[in-house]
């Protein structure tokens, strides 16, 4: 009887990184709140806002 593979398969993860320009941040606190909200989106694995460059990746 063949032995079952003990290796567990991991779900395929799309590690494609995208960077977007964001306008309208009036303060770093607002940028942080936006980052936290983006992280909650089901399609997003991680998010990082660069307040000085007005970008999110």
């Amino acid at each position: 009887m063949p032995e079952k593979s003990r290796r567990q398969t991991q779900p395929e993860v799309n590690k494609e990184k995208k960077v977007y320009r964001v306008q309208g941040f009036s303060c770093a606190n607002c940028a942080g709140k936006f980052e936290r909200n983006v992280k909650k989106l089901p399609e997003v694995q991680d998010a990082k806002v660069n307040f000085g460059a007005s970008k999110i990746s």
Side-chain angles (χ1 to χ4, degrees):
M1 185 174 221
E3 193 174 312
K4 287 186 179 180
S5 174
R6 293 181 186 190
R7 189 181 75 170
Q8 293 183 355
T9 57
Q10 296 294 324
E12 214 172 293
V13 177
N14 182 359
K15 294 190 179 196
E16 183 179 342
K17 181 178 179 180
K18 296 182 182 183
V19 179
Y20 299 93
R21 181 167 294 282
V22 182
Q23 295 179 342
F25 289 144
S26 57
C27 64
N29 207 21
C30 298
K33 188 173 188 177
F34 181 74
E35 180 181 291
R36 286 189 298 277
N37 288 333
V38 170
K39 285 181 178 184
K40 292 177 184 178
L41 296 172
E43 304 84 17
V44 176
Q45 293 173 359
D46 195 18
K48 183 69 179 162
V49 168
N50 181 327
F51 176 70
S54 298
K55 293 182 180 178
I56 186 167
S57 56

